[in-house]
């Protein structure tokens, strides 16, 4: 039986990833930064390890290599951006122990994790795909379209995002934005390092997430679209509508091909009032709501695994439009 290590098993996508790995006959080793007693899915894996934060890079990589050796793991499935960033810099070490990192190639991840570089690359090859983006330190404050959205270049899950209402207090801003009360740009610049931020015009509309699975060798790429009706503050959908839109699906396939995606990623868009889709970002990992896509007819997890096993992936011709809602459930993890 093949052994796979799944990281961050307390995250939203972990439950379906573990289930699908088991359905594929795999022995699953789970990891998380928190103790097993705090993690419901710690009871659904064959072995569980508490590991350091990925930000403690050397300790984290040393621990993950040790787990792979001890358990005889032949694959690692990272579930969070922070872990993927670290694994992306340490591919050689895992190659030396024959543990495949089930994530896109290094150049693709580098593009996806740098919002400014992603904009430049896609603007060069697919003009008009991404919301107009400028590095904040290079922006002309008088030419910025307010309200504006400021984001860390390598941010994730809306962390560090700020909505800025005007250049100076007393402008047209006001109300609440994604990052809390809107503020003036000059005040924001006084409390942050602009070198690490991008700025974009704020576009109002619905968030649409597309789970995309691509096999570079086969040339097949599947796309599952969903409109997120209710979301948590950090951007995870809890009630969604899965729908078909051939034009958006083809656009996502084209983007995936340009970026060199391998396996499953998720792309986020804003759908404005005119039905135009403005790309926000591409996250090189499973989305928090990847189970929605599985329920709607496309098994993103199994097909992700196939991309790293040299097997053909399925086409996306069996997806059905449907509303899906997520609920939370309580588990007893340990009795004292």
């Amino acid at each position: 039986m093949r052994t796979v290590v799944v990281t961050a098993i307390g995250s939203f996508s972990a439950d379906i990833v573990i289930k699908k790995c088991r359905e594929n006959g795999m022995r699953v080793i789970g990891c998380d930064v928190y103790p097993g007693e705090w993690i419901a899915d710690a009871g659904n894996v064959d072995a569980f390890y508490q590991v350091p934060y990925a930000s403690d890079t050397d300790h984290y990589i040393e621990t993950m290599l040790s787990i792979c050796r001890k358990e005889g793991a032949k694959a690692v499935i990272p579930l969070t951006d922070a872990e993927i960033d670290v694994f992306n810099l340490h591919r050689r070490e895992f190659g030396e122990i024959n543990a495949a990192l089930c994530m896109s190639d290094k150049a693709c991840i580098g593009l996806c994790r740098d919002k400014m570089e992603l904009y430049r690359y896609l603007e060069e090859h697919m003009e008009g795909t991404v919301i107009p983006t400028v590095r904040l330190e290079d922006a002309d404050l008088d030419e910025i379209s307010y309200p504006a959205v400021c984001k860390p270049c390598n941010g994730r899950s809306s962390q560090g995002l700020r909505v800025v209402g005007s250049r100076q207090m007393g402008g047209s801003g006001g109300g609440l934005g994604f990052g809390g009360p809107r503020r003036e740009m000059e005040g924001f610049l006084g409390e942050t390092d602009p070198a690490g931020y991008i700025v974009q015009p704020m576009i109002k509309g619905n968030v649409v997430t597309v789970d995309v699975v691509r096999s570079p060798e086969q040339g097949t790429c599947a796309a599952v679209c969903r409109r997120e009706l209710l979301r948590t503050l950090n951007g995870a959908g809890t009630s969604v509508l899965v729908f078909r839109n051939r034009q958006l699906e083809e656009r996502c396939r084209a983007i995936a091909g340009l970026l060199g995606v391998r396996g499953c990623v998720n792309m986020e868009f804003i759908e404005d009032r005119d039905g135009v889709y403005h790309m926000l970002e591409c996250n090189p990992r499973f989305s928090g709501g990847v189970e929605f896509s599985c329920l709607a007819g496309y098994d993103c997890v199994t097909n992700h695994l196939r991309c790293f096993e040299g097997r053909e992936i399925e086409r996306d011709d069996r997806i059905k439009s449907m509303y899906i809602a997520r609920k939370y459930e309580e588990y007893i993890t340990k009795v004292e």
Side-chain angles (χ1 to χ4, degrees), residues 33 56 58 70 129 145 153 187 197 212 217 231 245 270-271 285 301 307 320 324 330:
V33 297
D56 186 1
D58 291 342
K70 179 180 177 180
T129 295
S145 176
C153 292
Y197 273 77
V212 180
E217 291 77 18
R231 308 180 90 205
N245 182 304
I270 292 289
E271 177 189 17
R285 53 166 170 77
V301 180
C307 291
K320 295 182 179 180
I324 309 175
E330 290 71 37

Side-chain angles (χ1 to χ4, degrees), residues 62-108:
E62 179 184 329
T63 301
M64 296 305 299
L65 287 168
S66 176
I67 291 170
C68 288
R69 293 191 192 99
K70 179 180 177 180
E71 298 292 346
K74 296 304 179 184
V76 179
I77 304 179
L79 297 187
T80 68
D81 292 317
E83 292 166 326
I84 284 175
D85 288 348
V86 173
F87 282 121
N88 202 35
L89 298 174
H90 293 272
R91 292 174 178 267
R92 178 182 56 80
E93 292 94 317
F94 288 88
E96 289 173 351
I97 63 170
N98 296 315
L101 296 176
C102 297
M103 59 191 203
S104 286
D105 299 339
K106 187 172 184 178
C108 174

Side-chain angles (χ1 to χ4, degrees), residues 263-284:
C264 187
V265 301
N266 73 89
M267 301 180 189
E268 289 198 353
F269 297 81
I270 292 289
E271 177 189 17
D272 70 20
R273 295 169 182 171
D274 296 321
V276 177
Y277 296 97
H278 306 267
M279 186 180 179
L280 288 170
E281 59 191 359
C282 176
N283 299 300

Side-chain angles (χ1 to χ4, degrees), residues 135-154:
R135 195 175 294 278
L136 186 54
E137 64 179 343
D138 299 329
D140 184 326
L141 301 191
D142 289 322
E143 294 185 0
I144 291 175
S145 176
Y146 296 99
V149 178
C150 297
K151 308 174 184 176
C153 292
N154 63 348

Side-chain angles (χ1 to χ4, degrees), residues 108 112 118 122 126 129 207-214 221-226 228 231 248-261 263-270 278-287:
C108 174
C112 291
L118 178 66
L122 290 180
M126 290 181 65
T129 295
V207 175
V208 171
T209 297
V210 185
D211 287 323
V212 180
V213 184
R214 177 177 180 266
C221 186
V224 190
C225 309
R226 66 177 178 269
E228 306 212 330
R231 308 180 90 205
L248 179 57
E249 291 165 9
E250 286 301 322
R251 187 175 173 191
C252 290
R253 292 188 186 101
I255 293 170
L258 274 175
L259 297 180
V261 166
C264 187
V265 301
N266 73 89
M267 301 180 189
E268 289 198 353
F269 297 81
I270 292 289
H278 306 267
M279 186 180 179
L280 288 170
E281 59 191 359
C282 176
N283 299 300
R285 53 166 170 77
F286 290 117
S287 65

